[in-house]
Amino acid sequence: MAQAGPLKVCIVGSGNWGSAIAKIVGHNVKNLQKFASTVNMWVFEENINGRKLTEIINTEHENVKYLPGYKLPENVFIHKICQEISGKVHKKALGITLIKGIDEGPGGLKLISDIIREKMDIDISVLMGANIANEVAAEKFCETTIGSKVLEHGFLFKELLQTPNFRITVVDDADTVELCGALKNIVAVGAGFCDGLECGDNTKAAVIRLGLMEMIAFAKIFCKGRVSTATFLESCGVADLITTCYGGRNRKVAEAFVKTGQSIEELEKEMLNGQKLQGPQTSAEVYRILQQKGMVDKFPLFTAVYRICYEKKPVEEVISCLQSHPEHM
């Protein structure tokens, strides 16, 4: 999104969350003179019953695969995503990432925003919160958090994205905001294991509380202490954690993992309509970093989720880790 007006808006990706945000942005730019009235969307092309997904969205204004039942504004168009965006974006463009995940770099954990920032050489903000895509598309009230190292940019995105039912708080603790969005998915897998074992709400509450403690501890290690604990009280923190542990795909698939005995990969294909599960993958990335730092024992919940998903440890290990958690010692 270039800084000179009218500001052009492009959405890269068209999964259920990208489509839900497209619905908001498409309506908002019609009423804000600061922004250009046409919103572009880039997407990997897919065939749906013999028709291109781009053609369906452009003609019927509905993402029938990832967000069925909700019409997108007619000013949102689709383009096949480029293999390389780098070098084709205005040098003064601003970006905001809605991706709840992390990656590994040569020196350990790498935030998605850092990868985009390095490849695109533009400033990147992040948006994370208790935002289940279908509920956002249905215009049910929810909150979210924008983290921006340049607050002026965060408030510009707030203007673009906020609606009466999608309320935004802007903070400058951007790395913590983004870490919350990734780490809560690990905790949600643990919550799903509890549901699969039919442990009850008290045990699940312990998973959520102890998971939050590990999220805070990990953030302080990664961000070298530059973390505001108040950020965890924003929508990106405790609210998103609760929502994901009760209603998200990570919880749902983890419960099915216990009850069916199928692998995570099998359940992804069967239950997620082509979308990926973030929690197990994030647990693997976090586990490798904890190993490098010799801190595996300080994060028993994160570690248990990893070992259950990838080392075929018994699911009951998630309960054992609660019983012996350092918070209880």
Side-chain angles (χ1 to χ4, degrees), residues 43-304:
V43 62
F44 285 111
E45 186 67 277
E46 297 182 65
N47 284 313
I48 309 295
N49 297 325
R51 294 180 66 195
K52 291 182 178 180
L53 182 58
T54 53
E55 177 195 339
I56 295 171
I57 297 177
N58 278 337
T59 57
E60 299 175 19
H61 305 289
E62 181 181 351
N63 189 332
V64 294
K65 180 169 183 179
Y66 296 114
L67 196 70
Y70 296 101
K71 291 292 184 182
L72 300 178
E74 293 185 4
N75 55 330
V76 178
F77 291 85
I78 304 296
H79 297 275
K80 185 175 182 180
I81 195 165
C82 297
Q83 290 297 317
E84 295 181 4
I85 301 175
S86 179
K88 301 175 183 177
V89 175
H90 196 287
K91 291 181 179 179
K92 292 185 178 180
L94 303 178
I96 185 165
T97 173
L98 282 63
I99 301 169
K100 294 183 176 179
I102 51 177
D103 202 356
E104 279 188 282
L109 181 149
K110 207 166 182 64
L111 297 174
I112 300 297
S113 63
D114 286 334
I115 294 169
I116 299 171
R117 193 176 289 113
E118 289 171 10
K119 289 187 178 299
M120 308 288 291
D121 196 26
I122 61 174
D123 185 67
I124 299 290
S125 300
V126 299
L127 183 148
M128 305 284 156
N131 310 138
I132 294 175
N134 288 54
E135 295 183 12
V136 173
E139 300 183 18
K140 295 180 179 179
F141 181 85
C142 69
E143 301 173 315
T144 198
T145 311
I146 288 177
S148 186
K149 295 180 181 181
V150 181
L151 280 177
E152 179 186 351
H153 298 169
F155 284 111
L156 179 63
F157 282 114
K158 177 177 179 177
E159 187 177 356
L160 173 66
L161 294 165
Q162 183 163 264
T163 74
N165 284 320
F166 191 65
R167 308 307 292 176
I168 297 172
T169 300
V170 180
V171 301
D172 61 3
D173 195 5
D175 288 352
T176 303
V177 171
E178 188 168 3
L179 273 175
C180 282
L183 298 176
K184 54 92 181 179
N185 287 321
I186 305 177
V187 185
V189 172
F193 290 157
C194 285
D195 288 342
L197 293 169
E198 299 183 354
C199 294
D201 288 337
N202 293 337
T203 307
K204 190 168 176 176
V207 168
I208 293 171
R209 187 187 78 80
L210 294 168
L212 179 61
M213 299 301 290
E214 291 192 14
M215 287 169 60
I216 295 171
F218 189 89
K220 287 182 176 178
I221 293 168
F222 177 76
C223 299
K224 299 180 176 62
R226 302 188 308 274
V227 171
S228 170
T229 51
T231 302
F232 291 89
L233 299 179
E234 298 290 348
S235 181
C236 63
V238 66
D240 195 12
L241 179 61
I242 292 169
T243 299
T244 309
C245 286
Y246 278 92
R249 74 182 75 153
N250 289 279
R251 185 220 64 80
K252 183 179 179 182
V253 173
E255 180 182 19
F257 175 83
V258 179
K259 291 187 172 180
T260 68
Q262 294 177 264
S263 70
I264 293 291
E265 292 77 14
E266 289 170 334
L267 291 167
E268 261 186 346
K269 292 175 184 175
E270 186 178 304
M271 300 175 66
L272 297 184
N273 193 30
Q275 298 188 85
K276 290 294 182 183
L277 202 64
Q278 311 100 321
Q281 182 180 336
T282 303
S283 77
E285 290 157 349
V286 166
Y287 182 75
R288 284 189 284 271
I289 289 157
L290 294 175
Q291 272 190 316
Q292 291 169 8
K293 294 182 177 290
M295 303 185 75
V296 168
D297 292 343
K298 295 182 183 292
F299 293 84
L301 181 59
F302 286 179
T303 299

